[in-house]
């Protein structure tokens, strides 16, 4: 059996993208990304999701390799984001009799995106599509993970779940397909980064989806990005549960902006003092050079965020403001928060960061350090005191 045949009759036909620089034109892809697509073959044949349009030719090649001259009877559309749906039109031209299966919201989007009105099959929660004596597909709605039409497709005979983007990660499938054939450690951090960037706002719907899918016996998880999960399913489900509850493990992200190095010195001093108290898992990021997706990943992972900013034209330093906007958009309900800032003639940064903490209802630890003009002994002492308060409040 080829390693692309995950179970008898279930084939991986997805593609690797090592050329796109930023996913959604935003998030860097140092390890690439895969767009996963699967064939379920019985008396009838279903394809589950497609791939980004530019890779459609490769997908169709993989399908032909698997099916030879057989037709595809159904395309199951779990998710309409174009990284999975933009090959639908071309696929329809190759398989004109193929019926397209989705829920009411999906079918409306298929018409809106691609003008397709014919050959559509609407399914509802719990509906089953029988492909033959040995394989059937059941549909479960998991709205807002991370679009409104999202659904998961379950094959009970093989205990395989196709959950769309849920449980997906950045990172191409280098040779292997399942987690037994690929290094889990490489994908775990990429799963966190994918989650923080793409799904992070939707913790509540993810929790609802986890509860809905919990009764299913799942031996194989086939997401639309990254490895097919089998032996790592317990760790993957646990990670998703913790991320969607916005659980933070002990650790401190110190993220700052700095034009001339004064605020940077404060950041370095706080980090060193914190380490002196015995605290570990301290990560310091200059927001002008750090990758935002990595910072978001770590803010999702750790329980404490310390932000530093100079005052810039009466506002926060722009890169700091952008980070806070992205954090606010993700509705993280709780974090331990502290801040520090600097100014020359009329400070605004510390006030703005304190207002941010009040809006997010995060717990503010210690007294914000506000420095005027130069980084002197009084400021060292205030940074050390803030670090002590951060350590003692644990
Ligand atoms: C473009 C620019 C705009 C600034 N705007 C303000 C301001 O509105 N109010 C203020 O008190 N200081 C302002 N400053 C001064 C900086 O906030 C101050 O020098 C700060 O300590 C710089 O921190 P850094 O060394 O980390 O870049 C501005 C500085 C620059 C370069
Ligand atoms: Fe998506
Ligand atoms: Fe996706």
């Amino acid at each position: 059996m080829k390693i692309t045949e995950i179970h008898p009759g279930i084939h991986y036909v997805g593609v690797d993208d090592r050329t796109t620089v930023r996913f959604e034109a935003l998030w860097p892809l140092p390890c690439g990304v895969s767009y996963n697509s699967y064939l379920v073959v019985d008396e009838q044949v279903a394809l589950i999701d497609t791939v980004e349009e530019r890779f459609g030719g490769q997908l169709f090649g993989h399908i032909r390799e698997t099916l030879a001259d057989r037709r595809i009877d159904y395309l199951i559309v779990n998710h309409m984001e174009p990284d999975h749906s933009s090959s639908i039109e071309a696929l329809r031209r190759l398989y004109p009799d193929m019926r397209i299966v989705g829920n009411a919201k999906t079918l409306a989007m298929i018409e809106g995106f691609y003008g397709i009105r014919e050959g559509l099959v609407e399914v509802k929660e719990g509906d089953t599509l029988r492909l033959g004596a040995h394989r059937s597909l059941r549909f479960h709605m998991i709205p807002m993970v991370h679009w409104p039409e999202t659904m998961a497709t379950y094959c009970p005979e093989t205990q395989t779940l196709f959950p769309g983007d849920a449980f997906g990660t950045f990172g191409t499938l280098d040779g292997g397909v399942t987690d037994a054939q690929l290094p889990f450690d490489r994908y775990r951090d990429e799963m966190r980064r994918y989650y923080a960037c793409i799904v992070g706002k939707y913790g509540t719907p993810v929790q609802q989806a986890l509860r809905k899918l919990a009764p299913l016996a799942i031996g194989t998880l086939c997401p639309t990005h990254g490895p097919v999960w089998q032996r790592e399913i317990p760790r993957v489900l646990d990670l998703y549960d913790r991320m969607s509850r916005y659980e933070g493990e002990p650790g401190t992200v110190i993220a700052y902006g700095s034009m001339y190095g004064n605020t940077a010195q404060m950041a370095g001093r706080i980090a060193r003092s914190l380490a002196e108290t015995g605290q570990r898992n301290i990560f310091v990021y200059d927001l002008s050079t750090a990758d935002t997706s990595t910072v978001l990943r770590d803010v999702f992972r750790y329980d404490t965020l310390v932000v530093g900013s100079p005052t810039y034209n009466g506002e926060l330093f722009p890169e700091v403001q952008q980070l806070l906007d992205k954090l606010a958009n993700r509705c993280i309900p709780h974090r331990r928060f502290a801040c520090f800032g600097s100014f020359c003639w009329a400070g605004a940064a510390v006030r703005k960061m304190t207002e941010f903490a009040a809006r997010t209802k995060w717990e503010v630890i210690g007294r914000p350090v506000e420095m005027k003009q130069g980084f002197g002994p009084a400021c060292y002492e205030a940074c050390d005191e803030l670090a002590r308060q951060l350590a003692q409040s644990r």
Side-chain angles (χ1 to χ4, degrees):
M1 208 158 87
K2 289 175 121 185
I3 63 172
T4 46
E5 190 162 4
I6 302 159
H7 284 290
I10 298 193
H11 303 261
Y12 178 81
V13 288
V15 301
D16 288 310
D17 177 358
R18 297 187 179 84
T19 50
T20 300
V21 177
R22 285 173 184 267
F23 191 76
E24 294 179 352
L26 284 169
W27 317 110
L29 292 171
C31 311
V33 64
S34 72
Y35 310 111
N36 299 347
S37 185
Y38 305 89
L39 279 171
V40 183
V41 179
D42 199 356
E43 282 147 44
Q44 295 193 298
V45 174
L47 177 69
I48 302 187
D49 290 313
T50 70
V51 303
E52 217 277 335
E53 192 174 20
R54 285 172 301 135
F55 298 87
Q58 279 185 46
L59 167 69
F60 307 149
H62 294 162
I63 292 172
R64 267 194 304 277
E65 228 175 277
T66 312
L67 294 181
D69 293 332
R70 286 189 71 177
R71 291 178 315 173
I72 295 176
D73 298 284
Y74 299 102
L75 168 67
I76 315 297
V77 182
N78 280 332
H79 181 29
M80 276 298 291
E81 193 170 358
D83 54 335
H84 310 294
S85 76
S86 53
S87 295
I88 292 180
E89 267 185 291
L91 185 75
R92 201 23 152 8
R93 282 195 293 277
L94 287 174
Y95 300 96
D97 299 328
M98 172 189 82
R99 277 173 286 170
I100 302 179
V101 179
N103 58 58
K105 287 190 180 122
T106 316
L107 301 187
M109 286 189 190
I110 287 182
E111 180 170 358
F113 273 91
Y114 308 114
I116 297 176
R117 286 181 209 86
E118 308 293 319
L120 304 177
V121 179
E122 184 185 328
V123 292
K124 296 196 171 66
E125 175 67 35
D127 283 357
T128 295
L129 176 68
R130 182 149 280 292
L131 299 175
H134 307 289
R135 299 282 176 267
S136 62
L137 300 174
R138 199 166 72 218
F139 307 101
H140 296 286
M141 306 305 140
I142 50 167
M144 293 320 300
V145 180
H146 59 130
W147 276 28
E149 85 300 359
T150 321
M151 66 179 196
T153 297
Y154 182 61
C155 173
E157 296 85 359
T158 57
Q159 303 193 336
T160 301
L161 183 73
F162 303 90
D165 281 340
F167 316 111
T169 85
F170 295 130
T172 49
L173 302 189
D174 293 353
V177 176
T178 71
D179 52 13
Q181 303 150 358
L182 292 160
F184 182 62
D185 286 349
R186 175 187 178 195
Y187 295 97
R188 186 179 27 212
D189 278 354
E190 284 296 80
M191 178 178 275
R192 291 182 189 281
R193 196 167 67 89
Y194 181 88
Y195 184 89
C197 295
I198 315 293
V199 189
K201 182 182 170 83
Y202 302 105
T204 303
V206 170
Q207 280 287 309
Q208 284 162 353
L210 289 174
R211 278 196 291 276
K212 178 180 274 191
L213 302 175
L216 303 180
I218 302 174
T220 305
L221 254 181
C222 294
T224 42
H225 303 284
V228 168
W229 303 114
Q230 288 178 323
R231 70 176 187 192
E232 300 295 354
I233 286 177
R235 282 209 276 179
V236 166
L237 290 176
D238 176 61
L239 182 55
Y240 245 70
D241 181 44
R242 283 188 286 119
M243 292 191 299
S244 55
R245 283 190 287 106
Y246 299 91
E247 190 187 285
E249 57 188 90
T252 306
V253 176
I254 302 177
Y256 66 90
S258 184
M259 297 170 280
Y260 295 105
N262 293 289
T263 315
Q265 285 192 67
M266 299 169 80
R269 180 82 188 197
I270 292 167
R272 180 62 37 80
S273 299
L274 202 53
E276 303 261 16
T277 68
Q279 296 289 309
R280 296 295 177 257
N281 289 331
I282 302 166
F283 301 89
V284 181
Y285 292 110
D286 181 327
L287 294 171
S288 297
T289 54
D291 161 39
T292 310
S293 70
T294 304
V295 181
L296 289 175
R297 179 196 71 190
D298 285 357
V299 176
F300 266 77
R301 177 162 185 180
Y302 295 107
D303 64 359
T304 304
L305 174 65
V306 182
V307 180
S309 178
T311 297
Y312 186 91
N313 296 344
E315 302 283 345
L316 286 171
F317 186 65
E319 303 289 333
V320 175
Q321 183 65 56
Q322 280 176 33
L323 176 69
L324 297 189
D325 289 345
K326 288 191 172 75
L327 291 173
N329 173 270
R330 280 158 181 76
C331 308
I332 302 171
H334 48 80
R335 279 297 175 267
R336 290 155 36 90
F337 182 81
C339 64
F340 57 97
S342 67
F343 69 101
C344 179
W345 63 91
V350 163
R351 175 172 52 81
K352 299 249 172 202
M353 289 183 282
T354 307
E355 286 167 5
F356 166 83
R359 275 197 305 279
T360 53
K361 302 194 172 63
W362 289 358
E363 179 192 359
V364 178
I365 313 278
R367 190 176 315 116
V369 185
E370 191 166 30
M371 187 194 78
K372 185 174 179 181
Q373 292 160 4
F375 187 65
C379 190
Y380 300 162
E381 179 42 42
C383 289
D384 294 345
E385 176 57 21
L386 181 58
R388 275 194 295 275
Q389 288 165 329
L390 283 163
Q392 282 164 9
S393 57
R394 285 211 180 276

